[in-house]
Amino acid sequence: MEVIATALGRLVPATEAQTVLEDQLLRLLFDYRMHPQNSKNVPMPLGNIVRALSADEQLVAAALDGLREQTPPLVEDVPGFQGPHAYRITGTGVRFVRNMPQGLSSLP
């Protein structure tokens, strides 16, 4: 079985496209949140997310909805910010990314 390393360093089966996309989204929103020029935690518009990932807008929106529907949510929708949808990572999402082992360097 072929495996892929996600943007968060997890190894998942190549058939797990949704997990790969969700990890890309979490990494993008985490890096955006932690950037020094985003000290006010401004959300990222959906169009910018789609362009950053070079992915289909419907797939990205579905993955974002999946991350929002988790309990507790890892991403939140901030409607009305530069368009109908803008997203940012939640505090739980930040902890999730920070606690994720980052590739081979995380092995003992």
Side-chain angles (χ1 to χ4, degrees), residues 87-102:
Y87 297 87
R88 65 178 159 215
I89 194 167
T90 63
T92 302
V94 169
R95 283 188 300 280
F96 179 83
V97 172
R98 282 190 172 154
N99 290 331
M100 185 64 56
Q102 300 297 313

Side-chain angles (χ1 to χ4, degrees), residues 10-49:
R10 293 194 284 180
L11 296 176
V12 298
T15 57
E16 298 270 339
Q18 185 74 12
T19 302
V20 172
L21 182 57
E22 287 176 354
D23 280 8
Q24 285 178 314
L25 285 164
L26 287 171
R27 171 53 67 188
L28 174 68
L29 293 175
F30 175 84
D31 290 344
Y32 185 65
R33 168 65 185 101
M34 295 299 139
H35 195 279
Q37 292 181 347
N38 189 16
S39 62
K40 296 186 186 213
N41 195 16
V42 174
M44 183 180 278
L46 178 60
N48 292 4
I49 295 170

